[in-house]
Amino acid sequence: WNLELHKFSEAVEDTADQAKQESKMEITIKKISAEWSGVEFQFDPHKGNPEVQLMKLPDDKVEMLEEHQVQVQNMFASRFLSTFESEVVFWQKTLANVSEVSALIAEVQRSWAFLENLFIHSDEVKKELPDDSDKFVGIDQDVKDILKQGESMNLAKDFCNQGNIFQKLEKAQSQLGMCEKALNEFMDGKRRAFPRFYFMSSADLLDVLSNGNSPAKVVPQFPKFFIAIEDYTLEFPDGETAR
């Protein structure tokens, strides 16, 4: 009372409100920092191979990421931003990188896993598309190196905020897109050669082509391009490995 603060009630209220809002902002930033210090990617072996681990951000962490991005964005709307501006800008960029990189690596993994079965394991595709198959060997190694690096670093914040990781993933995605384009042109050629393939979806046709050396795996697809086939039995008088 001796300070006669009652004479400056408006200024005191402004100062108290600023302190209150800055305290809330500080607590939120500390909470975000603490939670992301321990967020790890979830890993699953690719086709049961422990040497190649597919990585993804757990679903609950994706929800947390979206929530934190909203909180950080709200801080930018605060008139009390200046005190913590550098920290808020840091977390805006950090969370944006986590969001963009985790989404991009999911797309790259999806395309790579799909094309790997064809360009690496299908003799038919390697024979018909030798140049693209050779290119894919390099792309395959690049993707595996990225996945190995992710497994080694483990922490989502650290992996997604490397200086060149987004560029590496963009390059891989672009190259995979070129391989997929070549593959689509290859499939169109197969459809022109055997029009019944037009009755099949691209995924089913690729399944047939990728298993050209395994007739038993192709038989279940027969009803999709031959009419009135209920059952088809393969016989191998010289053994299954003979051709």
Side-chain angles (χ1 to χ4, degrees):
W1 186 260
N2 291 334
L3 295 176
E4 298 185 334
L5 294 179
H6 60 284
K7 295 181 179 180
F8 311 97
S9 59
E10 190 172 318
V12 170
E13 286 178 7
D14 285 345
T15 301
D17 184 46
Q18 179 175 350
K20 180 180 178 182
Q21 296 301 323
E22 287 180 352
S23 176
K24 286 174 62 178
M25 196 176 294
E26 183 178 20
I27 290 171
T28 300
I29 291 172
K30 286 182 176 178
K31 181 182 177 183
I32 292 174
S33 178
E35 290 186 333
W36 282 99
S37 66
V39 174
E40 299 179 346
F41 280 109
Q42 177 181 315
F43 295 95
D44 293 300
H46 176 53
K47 296 180 179 178
N49 180 8
E51 295 298 316
V52 182
Q53 296 283 340
L54 299 180
M55 56 195 290
K56 63 171 286 189
L57 203 60
D59 293 339
D60 61 321
K61 301 306 180 185
V62 173
E63 293 178 6
M64 184 180 78
L65 171 63
E66 293 172 353
E67 179 184 336
H68 286 171
Q69 284 185 296
V70 170
Q71 291 176 350
V72 169
Q73 196 58 41
N74 289 339
M75 291 183 201
F76 276 103
S78 172
R79 61 192 180 97
F80 307 114
L81 171 66
S82 58
T83 304
F84 299 102
E85 186 169 4
S86 61
E87 290 95 329
V88 175
V89 168
F90 168 81
W91 280 108
Q92 181 194 43
K93 292 180 178 178
T94 298
L95 296 178
N97 287 340
V98 172
S99 177
E100 291 173 2
V101 171
S102 59
L104 185 53
I105 199 166
E107 293 177 17
V108 168
Q109 287 179 139
R110 207 161 30 241
S111 296
W112 166 76
F114 171 67
L115 295 173
E116 180 212 29
N117 195 44
L118 298 159
F119 283 102
I120 299 294
H121 302 298
S122 171
D123 291 338
E124 177 75 10
V125 172
K126 286 193 284 188
K127 182 180 72 175
E128 297 287 343
L129 299 172
D131 292 341
D132 293 287
S133 295
D134 288 342
K135 290 178 184 176
F136 190 83
V137 172
I139 301 170
D140 179 66
Q141 189 57 55
D142 289 343
V143 172
K144 287 178 178 176
D145 287 344
I146 291 172
L147 295 178
K148 182 64 71 175
Q149 186 179 24
E151 183 184 5
S152 175
M153 296 185 73
N154 205 357
L155 290 177
K157 178 173 70 71
D158 294 347
F159 176 80
C160 295
N161 282 277
Q162 299 175 82
N164 61 350
I165 189 62
F166 192 80
Q167 289 74 17
K168 284 183 178 179
L169 288 167
E170 275 194 323
K171 178 183 176 183
Q173 185 185 42
S174 174
Q175 292 175 326
L176 288 167
M178 293 170 65
C179 289
E180 191 163 3
K181 180 182 178 183
L183 190 62
N184 287 332
E185 292 173 353
F186 163 66
M187 286 192 297
D188 287 342
K190 291 296 182 182
R191 287 183 171 120
R192 287 192 295 270
F194 187 63
R196 283 188 176 272
F197 282 155
Y198 280 108
F199 295 112
M200 305 184 73
S201 67
S202 295
D204 288 337
L205 177 53
L206 285 172
D207 184 57
V208 169
L209 297 176
S210 64
N211 289 301
N213 294 326
S214 304
K217 294 182 180 179
V218 176
V219 169
Q221 300 284 8
F222 277 13
K224 296 177 181 177
F225 55 94
F226 287 123
I227 299 174
I229 289 184
E230 179 178 344
D231 187 44
Y232 192 95
T233 303
L234 293 175
E235 294 183 1
F236 301 93
D238 299 320
E240 292 189 24
T241 59
R243 292 289 182 270

